[in-house]
């Protein structure tokens, strides 16, 4: 298998970088180059280019410290849905990126319950910021099982509330006897959709880690300590070299796992392992960046502090590394 980056991926990465240097709304700018439609299924109006393209997009978003999580949530929600369940007008907005879909109770245990009449009650976990047009909700049923519902936020029964995690803006859905369209067939698509979602999230975290390493490298080459650049201290140079080398290895694993998903070969153990290592690596890289910058790195507006906050929040969005390692463990027993 060839793991080298092909010309299309390179051009896509350059296009995302260019978009993120503009002053317009990021989602609108990304939509102009086909995001999120790149990996959305053709039956939804997307290009269905697969995870190999999506991995490059998320890697560059992570490097730019622009997570834009509503983009990944939209793709995941559409992976779970049947096109017949989504109104055409909403579907067009989702593909264009003017509105977004989110998932509730997909990465965590259900926090929303469905009563005997099928109405939904509860508050969602923290969700990425964006104009929410639809929510795919996994609910706890009165009989102890789980169900799936599609909810269109509107009115007092289903409203969006501002929230935050570690100072980063987030959203929550508040459902009070909200009506939802009952969905069937989602369980059959759930594992495949989650595998792809983990690869996208891992790519974001690895891009974020690379940015932290680059920031740290630039700092230690210019910071004079004891009459010489900080990088000339052996512990500093060796520590950064180790983290940088590990990151290169995880990048290769991300592209390999994306290829496996695109060819129907990925297992839950593979994608869980990738995301667990990416989350741990992002936290390690951003902590090292903070440490090497010293007090300057701890300032709220600094790049090291911003990278660490993003790694802490995004690294837990689809479960803790410990939970992911438990998912990975059965598949790696030889």
């Amino acid at each position: 298998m060839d793991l080298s980056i092909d010309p299309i991926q390179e051009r896509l990465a350059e296009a995302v970088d260019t978009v993120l240097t503009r002053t317009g709304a990021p989602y609108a700018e990304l939509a102009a180059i086909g995001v999120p439609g790149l990996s959305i299924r053709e039956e939804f109006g997307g290009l269905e280019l697969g995870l190999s393209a999506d991995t490059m997009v998320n890697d560059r978003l992570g490097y730019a410290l622009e997570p834009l999580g509503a983009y990944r949530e939209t793709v995941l929600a559409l992976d779970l849905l049947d096109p017949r369940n989504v109104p055409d007008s909403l579907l067009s907005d989702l593909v264009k990126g003017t509105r977004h879909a989110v998932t509730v109770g997909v990465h965590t245990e259900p926090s929303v319950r469905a009563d005997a009449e099928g109405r939904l009650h509860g508050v969602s976990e923290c969700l990425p910021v964006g104009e929410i047009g639809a929510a795919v909700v996994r609910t706890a049923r009165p009989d102890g099982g789980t169900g799936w519902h599609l909810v269109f936020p509107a009115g007092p029964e289903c409203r969006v509330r501002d929230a935050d995690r570690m100072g980063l803006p987030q959203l929550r859905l508040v459902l009070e006897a909200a009506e939802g369209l009952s969905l069937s067939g989602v369980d059959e698509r759930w594992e495949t959709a989650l595998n792809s979602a983990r690869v996208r999230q891992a790519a974001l975290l690895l891009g974020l880690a690379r940015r932290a390493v680059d920031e740290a490298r630039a700092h230690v080459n210019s910071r004079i300590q004891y009459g010489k650049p900080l990088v000339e201290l052996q512990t500093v140079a060796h520590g950064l070299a180790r983290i940088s080398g590990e990151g290169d290895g995880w990048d290769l694993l991300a592209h390999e796992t994306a290829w496996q998903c695109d060819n129907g070969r990925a297992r839950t153990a593979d994608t869980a392992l990738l995301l667990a290592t990416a989350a741990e690596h992002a936290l390690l890289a951003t902590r090292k960046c903070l440490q090497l910058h010293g007090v300057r790195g701890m300032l709220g507006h600094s790049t090291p502090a911003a990278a660490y906050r993003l790694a802490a929040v995004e690294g837990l969005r689809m479960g803790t590394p410990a939970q992911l390692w438990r998912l990975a463990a059965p598949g790696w027993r030889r």
Side-chain angles (χ1 to χ4, degrees):
M1 180 181 57
D2 184 6
L3 290 178
S4 61
I5 305 303
D6 64 43
I8 293 178
Q9 289 175 303
E10 289 181 350
R11 294 297 297 272
L12 183 56
E14 291 170 2
V16 174
D17 289 343
T18 301
V19 160
L20 294 177
T21 61
R22 297 174 181 170
T23 57
Y27 281 115
E29 298 281 5
L30 286 174
I33 62 169
V35 178
L38 290 173
S39 63
I40 290 174
R41 304 199 307 267
E42 288 183 357
E43 56 191 321
F44 282 111
L47 298 175
E48 202 170 347
L49 295 181
L51 276 177
S52 295
D54 240 357
T55 298
M56 294 305 299
V57 173
N58 285 290
D59 178 277
R60 301 316 299 169
L61 292 178
Y63 191 87
L65 307 186
E66 291 279 3
L68 302 182
Y71 150 58
R72 286 179 300 285
E73 279 289 291
T74 295
V75 179
L76 172 58
L78 291 179
D79 280 347
L80 292 169
L81 287 171
D82 185 309
R84 293 169 295 185
N85 296 137
V86 188
D88 289 342
S89 59
L90 173 60
L91 188 55
S92 176
D93 287 347
L94 295 179
V95 174
K96 291 177 182 176
T98 54
R99 283 195 286 175
H100 308 286
V102 295
T103 63
V104 175
V106 174
H107 311 311
T108 64
E109 288 300 312
S111 58
V112 175
R113 62 180 178 84
D115 62 25
E117 297 178 351
R119 294 184 179 275
L120 310 184
H121 307 261
V123 180
S124 75
E125 65 269 29
C126 284
L127 305 171
V129 172
E131 182 68 29
I132 300 177
V136 178
V137 184
R138 187 165 71 109
T139 59
R141 298 197 309 251
D143 62 5
T146 58
W148 294 91
H149 293 80
L150 180 61
V151 176
F152 305 105
E157 296 84 11
C158 181
R159 63 184 188 277
V160 178
R161 186 178 78 192
D162 290 335
D164 75 84
R165 293 181 70 181
M166 292 190 68
L168 297 177
Q170 305 277 284
L171 299 176
R172 289 184 187 270
L173 280 183
V174 181
L175 299 102
E176 298 175 348
E179 294 184 358
L181 173 66
S182 181
L183 300 173
S184 60
V186 180
D187 284 323
E188 288 76 10
R189 295 185 287 270
W190 188 19
E191 183 176 1
T192 300
L194 268 182
N195 283 338
S196 297
R198 291 190 192 107
V199 174
R200 295 185 191 98
Q201 192 70 13
L204 175 91
L205 290 165
L206 292 173
L208 174 59
R210 193 180 312 106
R211 174 64 178 274
V213 171
D214 285 351
E215 291 289 331
R217 185 184 294 116
H219 176 73
V220 299
N221 275 282
S222 61
R223 174 70 170 167
I224 303 301
Q225 194 82 14
Y226 308 118
K228 57 184 178 181
L230 195 57
V231 73
E232 292 188 21
L233 295 176
Q234 193 174 68
T235 54
V236 171
H238 286 188
L240 270 181
R242 178 175 62 84
I243 293 174
S244 181
E246 289 175 353
D248 290 343
W250 300 137
D251 284 340
L252 286 175
L253 181 62
H255 287 289
E256 179 185 5
T257 309
W259 180 88
Q260 289 175 335
C261 286
D262 285 342
N263 288 275
R265 300 182 184 182
R267 303 171 300 169
T268 294
D270 299 322
T271 60
L273 179 145
L274 172 64
L275 183 52
T277 54
E280 291 181 346
H281 177 67
L283 285 170
L284 175 65
T286 53
R287 280 199 300 265
K288 175 61 74 173
C289 185
L290 271 177
Q291 175 199 356
L292 292 174
H293 277 80
V295 175
R296 290 191 182 99
M298 298 179 187
L299 298 176
H301 63 275
S302 70
T303 297
Y308 178 76
R309 284 198 302 271
L310 284 174
V313 171
E314 295 297 333
L316 300 178
R317 193 175 291 283
M318 298 188 68
T320 66
Q323 291 169 330
L324 292 164
W325 280 119
R326 284 194 289 273
L327 280 176
W332 289 90
R333 290 173 184 159
R334 299 302 186 206

